[in-house]
Amino acid sequence: MADTGGGDNLTILKLGGSVITDKDTPETVDDDALAAAVAAIAESPAIDDESDEANLIIVHGGGSFGHVHASDHGVSTTEGTHDPAAVTAIHGAMKRLNSVVVDRLQAAGVAAVPVHPLSAVARDGEAAVSLPTAAVGSLRAEGFVPVLHGDVIAHAGQGVTVISGDELVTGLADRLGAARVGLCSTVPGVLDGEGDVIESITDFESVAAALGDSESTDVSGGMAGKVEELLALARPARIFGPDAVGAFLAGDAPGTLIDGGSRD
């Protein structure tokens, strides 16, 4: 099926799991952080646009919901399971978090609707071969804001593995031709060894020494994984902190620019 739903005004925003949950306390939402993000989204031009088509897609991470269960069952982006109880535990946790996010967005006047990757995405070998682009495009055309999340997905030969929110962001951005891509993290951008925000990144090697592992349970690569994922994207992207969600959605350029295309 052909991809649908592209548009010059499309923005894809990812809310990091560490931002909207207390990542060190299982299945705990950070109510203040989520409320601030929801308020910024509800007031953004992408929501106020006069077009009938929604110009925003939201993706969120797993935080203390999905990552904890995935770690308990030994499931990651590369290690799979055929245990249906593991699938139910991980996916169920992500659905619970997604339900909170969608409910809060709807309460703020955003026409948010859930899209669950387990039912719509599959991986063949190392590549995700299907993304719900048609469904996402059709929902946007009807004025809805699709809200996706990191999840477990069918993986040929491995049962299920994890697909990260970052991979969903980059896959949808490429297929739908997103104009702007932003990842909201707990820090104001990618930090160097001195704790200062790096203005731009065009190759991984230049920042590898400054990127350590996530301090909390994260089965999808932490900051290093985010940077590598975005460097492979065929368009620029930005990583910024929670206070900059509104600025990014308004068209500003907060945080760190990730642009792998600049290497050519």
Side-chain angles (χ1 to χ4, degrees):
M1 180 177 292
D3 292 340
T4 62
D8 293 340
N9 296 322
L10 174 60
T11 294
I12 299 182
L13 171 68
K14 193 237 177 163
L15 299 175
S18 294
V19 174
I20 62 173
T21 74
D22 177 351
K23 209 170 180 185
D24 294 317
T25 306
E27 298 209 20
T28 303
V29 173
D30 186 327
D31 287 314
D32 291 341
L34 180 56
V38 166
I41 292 167
E43 296 167 1
S44 73
I47 300 301
D48 294 335
D49 195 286
E50 295 180 357
S51 170
D52 291 335
E53 181 178 62
N55 288 319
L56 180 65
I57 295 171
I58 298 171
V59 179
H60 65 78
S64 64
F65 285 73
H67 286 297
V68 172
H69 292 280
S71 181
D72 287 345
H73 290 281
V75 183
S76 69
T77 54
T78 57
E79 299 296 323
T81 182
H82 287 86
D83 179 3
V87 177
T88 301
I90 301 165
H91 178 64
M94 288 309 305
K95 283 186 66 177
R96 288 191 288 277
L97 177 56
N98 182 255
S99 179
V100 173
V101 174
V102 169
D103 286 350
R104 301 281 178 88
L105 286 165
Q106 289 185 3
V110 179
V113 293
V115 177
H116 303 304
L118 175 60
S119 302
V121 182
R123 192 188 304 276
D124 182 4
E126 295 301 316
V129 296
S130 65
L131 284 172
T133 52
V136 166
S138 296
L139 287 168
R140 287 185 54 230
E142 297 301 320
F144 296 108
V145 175
V147 183
L148 298 89
H149 53 85
D151 205 350
V152 284
I153 59 169
H155 187 147
Q158 294 201 52
V160 301
T161 54
V162 168
I163 186 167
S164 70
D166 301 331
E167 187 175 356
L168 289 170
V169 167
T170 55
L172 290 170
D174 271 339
R175 288 164 175 78
L176 298 179
R180 307 193 76 228
V181 177
L183 272 64
C184 175
S185 182
T186 54
V187 289
V190 182
L191 306 180
D192 63 18
E194 303 300 319
D196 297 321
V197 174
I198 300 170
E199 184 175 337
S200 65
I201 298 172
T202 59
D203 67 277
F204 186 76
E205 291 74 17
S206 65
V207 296
L211 300 180
D213 294 332
S214 174
E215 293 180 359
S216 302
T217 301
D218 191 334
V219 295
S220 60
M223 183 61 81
K226 297 182 197 311
V227 171
E228 288 190 298
E229 194 74 43
L230 292 176
L231 283 170
L233 184 61
R235 65 200 70 247
R238 306 201 74 91
I239 295 177
F240 48 83
D243 292 342
V245 172
F248 170 76
L249 291 175
D252 292 343
T256 301
L257 172 68
I258 312 291
D259 189 0
S262 297
R263 294 171 293 174
D264 297 332

